[in-house]
Amino acid sequence: MITIREFNDTDAAMASVVYFESFRSYLKERMEITEPQPAEYWLKIMRHSATDEYENISFVAEEDGRIIGCISITAALKRRLGSLQRIGVLPECAGKGVGKMLFKAADEFWRKRNMRKVSSCVSSINPGALKFYTSCGFHVEGTLKDHFFEGVDEHQIALFY
Ligand SMILES: CC(C)(COP(=O)(O)OP(=O)(O)OC[C@H]1O[C@@H](n2cnc3c(N)ncnc32)[C@H](O)[C@@H]1OP(=O)(O)O)[C@@H](O)C(=O)NCCC(=O)NCCS
């Protein structure tokens, strides 16, 4: 059974593998690291934090004690503007609805905080992810040319509530 729950510190090492493997699946030779980051790196990024103005949170998908997917998001509470920072599902677990389950947890989080808009971006070399985001209700707002890599555009995408 797959469970979606909030990230906790003990997930950091497995989350690092999930983000490494999932991003490598489309970045291929453009991947700038050759092995997953140390757990502490993701622990700092994924640990829940909240102020009056800003909240940062991650959710994980767990199956049989193993983390198979992660989503990391933020909410600017006064601006009512959310951001989907990253999502990744282990390549061998992709295409089975895990990404959608993670998005649902993020969607509930943003709705509870009364967001009016959520933004993210997706690479032009990652058409599968663009289809995923479109199926979640995002649309393309604009395109940044040659953004993170020369010859690779970045689509800015948004979801309005
Ligand atoms: C993008 C990603 C998170 C999707 O997760 P997933 O578990 O494979 O997606 P799901 O099985 O929940 O699919 C949900 C929907 O997206 C569509 N979709 C997902 N991946 C797709 C692909 N590669 N090609 C076409 N459609 C795709 C599915 O068809 C499904 O559509 P439906 O709801 O209309 O049936 C996952 O494939 C991944 O980790 N990719 C590598 C990392 C990445 O690209 N992250 C985003 C960077 S911007």
Side-chain angles (χ1 to χ4, degrees):
M1 196 180 79
I2 298 168
T3 309
I4 307 295
R5 60 167 175 78
E6 200 178 318
F7 168 86
N8 67 54
D9 288 1
T10 61
D11 299 324
M14 281 190 283
S16 178
V17 173
V18 169
Y19 279 142
F20 178 79
E21 297 292 349
S22 59
F23 279 75
R24 189 168 62 169
S25 71
Y26 79 89
L27 283 173
K28 301 195 170 73
E29 69 283 354
R30 292 186 180 88
M31 192 81 174
E32 280 147 350
I33 53 171
T34 53
E35 57 186 52
Q37 307 273 14
E40 297 69 39
Y41 174 90
W42 287 108
L43 200 147
K44 284 188 197 135
I45 292 172
M46 296 176 77
R47 190 182 267 165
H48 183 221
S49 65
T51 66
D52 286 349
E53 296 200 0
Y54 190 78
E55 203 166 345
N56 177 75
I57 194 165
S58 291
F59 298 96
V60 297
E62 181 181 342
E63 184 175 41
D64 300 328
R66 184 169 77 126
I67 304 304
I68 61 170
C70 308
I71 188 167
S72 301
I73 64 171
T74 67
L77 302 169
K78 290 184 180 161
R79 288 193 193 279
R80 299 174 51 222
L81 176 63
S83 168
L84 196 164
Q85 304 279 43
R86 60 191 69 78
I87 180 169
V89 173
L90 282 178
E92 71 259 33
C93 302
K96 295 178 188 162
V98 179
K100 247 329 175 10
M101 291 167 78
L102 287 162
F103 173 76
K104 189 166 172 280
D107 181 58
E108 280 167 12
F109 174 91
W110 286 316
R111 284 178 190 276
K112 269 190 206 148
R113 282 147 188 84
N114 198 25
M115 294 294 106
R116 56 180 179 81
K117 176 179 181 179
V118 171
S119 71
S120 192
C121 59
V122 61
S123 171
S124 58
I125 55 167
N126 197 4
L130 181 56
K131 282 198 183 129
F132 168 77
Y133 285 124
T134 304
S135 82
C136 294
F138 285 85
H139 71 270
V140 176
E141 283 199 309
T143 299
L144 303 169
K145 305 297 283 180
D146 295 311
H147 194 62
F148 292 121
F149 304 97
E150 219 175 313
V152 181
D153 299 341
E154 203 70 24
H155 301 302
Q156 292 177 300
I157 54 171
L159 166 68
F160 283 89
Y161 285 112

